[in-house]
Amino acid sequence: MRTIDVRTDRRTEFVEITADVRRVVREAGLTDGAVAVYCPHTTAAVTIQENADPDVVHDLLLWLNHHIPKNVAGFRHAEGNSDAHIKSSLVGPSVLVPVAGGDLVLGTWQGVYFCEFDGPRSREVKVQTIGNNS
Amino acid sequence: MRTIDVRTDRRTEFVEITADVRRVVREAGLTDGAVAVYCPHTTAAVTIQENADPDVVHDLLLWLNHHIPKNVAGFRHAEGNSDAHIKSSLVGPSVLVPVAGGDLVLGTWQGVYFCEFDGPRSREVKVQTIGNNS
Amino acid sequence: MRTIDVRTDRRTEFVEITADVRRVVREAGLTDGAVAVYCPHTTAAVTIQENADPDVVHDLLLWLNHHIPKNVAGFRHAEGNSDAHIKSSLVGPSVLVPVAGGDLVLGTWQGVYFCEFDGPRSREVKVQTIGNNS
């Protein structure tokens, strides 16, 4: 298992980590199987989204921030970041990407994104290769 | 890894692919492990839902289409399908189903669904078996 | 594959199952790989969340129950629990947690939760270890 370090600059932000994940797969020599990209934080997440037009992740963040605001009547968590925890569980803590022919099986427009919901912070992403023929 | 072809007929629609996934597992001869069902598109997704009453996926689509409309003030993505990208990240790009005794470990009412959010289109789903005893 | 039994006491409730998942990994003798925690029910889910302050899952449930109410104009499913099905697909049917050094790779504040959305019921969670060196 390998760790990718991610530095975020804003409270909510998507950071593409496709190249880092691809490098882990190649260094592990995995030819066939899958790779788990796992977020060990409860106020962040990992997703797959379009990486051609940055407006796509802009619009995704706009929707999330509008529908899951920071302050909601009834929220109890004293840290005041319940919105980040909710976004984390809805987007999800991990993605599993198939690996074939020694590379990630991503669609033409797909990238792997670290999703910051309570930054700026120094974060980690855990990348575990799972091989069929290792 | 195998590819399942899916043809969708409407803009938003759930297509059950359980039989296709089961066939891939059997043809691979996988007896114990898991199977990753992965969507290589950023305006579609994969989920597990009830396949006994089609009203369940109707109601799920009704909620998604109401709360994530096509046009939202502030959306920038010029293709005009940001709603489909948002639904894709919330439902998620993949599911992982355990395999035991040579078959999918699904609950009684569970089916695997391809979720179209920007159709009609010709789509693909990638199915990768992950074996413990290969 | 192993089965964890979960008994829920309320209609919507999060039950932490981290210790059960950890025990399965240790009993399986898995040292390196991942563990899939899978919910075979379509009105429940599995997620990773903070387990230090119980107010976090309180706030997550508050948001879900407010935004996905039991009765919505247009819902057709006769059982009247469409909200539970919707929550199930948004939170997701499974999580995949990396395993390294014989233990779960969880962040400091992370726990694995069974998410009940249509209880109280007797439920099951399927836990499948996926090894790299088995």
Side-chain angles (χ1 to χ4, degrees):
Chain A
M1 200 188 58
R2 301 289 288 274
T3 300
I4 295 172
D5 294 310
V6 179
R7 175 76 215 172
T8 61
D9 298 318
R10 292 190 285 280
R11 179 151 198 268
T12 62
E13 177 183 9
F14 279 41
V15 181
E16 189 174 3
I17 57 172
T18 313
D20 305 275
V21 176
R22 178 168 280 130
R23 189 168 51 242
V24 171
V25 167
R26 290 184 176 167
E27 287 177 5
L30 180 67
T31 55
D32 187 66
V35 59
V37 184
Y38 182 82
C39 173
H41 312 284
T42 58
T43 54
V46 174
T47 197
I48 305 281
Q49 258 306 337
E50 177 177 325
N51 62 2
D53 178 1
D55 286 343
V56 169
V57 297
H58 167 274
D59 293 355
L60 174 48
L61 265 177
L62 184 84
W63 188 92
L64 287 169
N65 289 336
H66 181 75
H67 287 269
I68 311 173
K70 204 163 182 307
N71 297 303
V72 169
F75 275 179
R76 292 183 185 165
H77 183 47
E79 280 188 64
N81 61 352
S82 292
D83 65 313
H85 290 285
I86 296 166
K87 291 164 189 165
S88 164
S89 274
L90 290 183
V91 174
S94 70
V95 294
L96 183 69
V97 182
V99 172
D103 199 7
L104 305 174
V105 177
L106 289 170
T108 312
W109 315 107
Q110 287 187 317
V112 184
Y113 282 91
F114 176 79
C115 311
E116 175 64 81
F117 296 127
D118 194 33
R121 297 203 201 194
S122 289
R123 301 288 207 172
E124 289 186 347
V125 177
K126 302 295 184 181
V127 182
Q128 176 71 298
T129 51
I130 299 167
N132 271 334
N133 306 311
S134 59
Chain B
M1 201 189 57
R2 301 290 288 274
T3 300
I4 296 172
D5 294 310
V6 179
R7 174 76 215 173
T8 60
D9 298 318
R10 293 191 285 279
R11 181 154 197 268
T12 62
E13 176 184 9
F14 279 40
V15 180
E16 189 173 3
I17 57 172
T18 313
D20 306 274
V21 176
R22 177 168 280 131
R23 188 168 51 244
V24 171
V25 168
R26 290 185 175 166
E27 287 177 4
L30 180 66
T31 55
D32 186 67
V35 59
V37 184
Y38 182 83
C39 173
H41 311 283
T42 58
T43 54
V46 174
T47 196
I48 305 281
Q49 257 306 336
E50 177 177 325
N51 61 2
D53 179 1
D55 286 344
V56 169
V57 298
H58 167 274
D59 293 356
L60 174 48
L61 266 177
L62 185 83
W63 189 92
L64 287 169
N65 289 335
H66 181 75
H67 287 269
I68 311 172
K70 203 163 183 310
N71 297 303
V72 168
F75 276 179
R76 291 183 187 165
H77 182 48
E79 281 189 63
N81 60 353
S82 292
D83 65 314
H85 290 285
I86 296 166
K87 291 165 189 165
S88 166
S89 273
L90 290 183
V91 174
S94 71
V95 294
L96 183 68
V97 182
V99 171
D103 199 6
L104 304 174
V105 178
L106 289 171
T108 311
W109 314 108
Q110 286 186 319
V112 184
Y113 282 92
F114 176 79
C115 312
E116 174 64 80
F117 296 129
D118 195 34
R121 295 202 202 195
S122 290
R123 300 288 207 172
E124 290 186 348
V125 177
K126 302 295 185 181
V127 183
Q128 176 70 299
T129 52
I130 299 167
N132 270 335
N133 305 310
S134 58
Chain C
M1 200 190 57
R2 301 289 289 273
T3 301
I4 296 171
D5 293 310
V6 179
R7 174 76 214 172
T8 60
D9 298 318
R10 292 190 287 279
R11 181 154 197 268
T12 62
E13 177 184 7
F14 279 40
V15 180
E16 189 175 3
I17 56 172
T18 313
D20 305 275
V21 175
R22 178 169 279 130
R23 189 166 52 243
V24 170
V25 168
R26 290 185 176 167
E27 287 178 5
L30 180 67
T31 55
D32 187 65
V35 59
V37 184
Y38 181 83
C39 173
H41 312 283
T42 56
T43 55
V46 174
T47 196
I48 305 282
Q49 257 306 337
E50 177 177 327
N51 61 2
D53 179 359
D55 286 344
V56 169
V57 297
H58 167 275
D59 293 356
L60 175 47
L61 265 178
L62 185 84
W63 188 92
L64 287 169
N65 290 335
H66 181 75
H67 287 268
I68 311 173
K70 204 165 182 308
N71 298 302
V72 169
F75 276 179
R76 292 183 187 164
H77 183 46
E79 280 188 65
N81 62 352
S82 291
D83 65 314
H85 290 285
I86 296 166
K87 291 165 189 165
S88 165
S89 273
L90 290 183
V91 175
S94 71
V95 294
L96 183 68
V97 182
V99 172
D103 199 6
L104 304 174
V105 177
L106 289 171
T108 312
W109 314 108
Q110 287 186 318
V112 184
Y113 282 92
F114 176 79
C115 312
E116 174 64 82
F117 296 128
D118 195 33
R121 297 203 201 193
S122 290
R123 300 287 206 173
E124 290 185 346
V125 177
K126 303 295 184 183
V127 183
Q128 176 71 298
T129 51
I130 300 167
N132 271 334
N133 307 309
S134 58

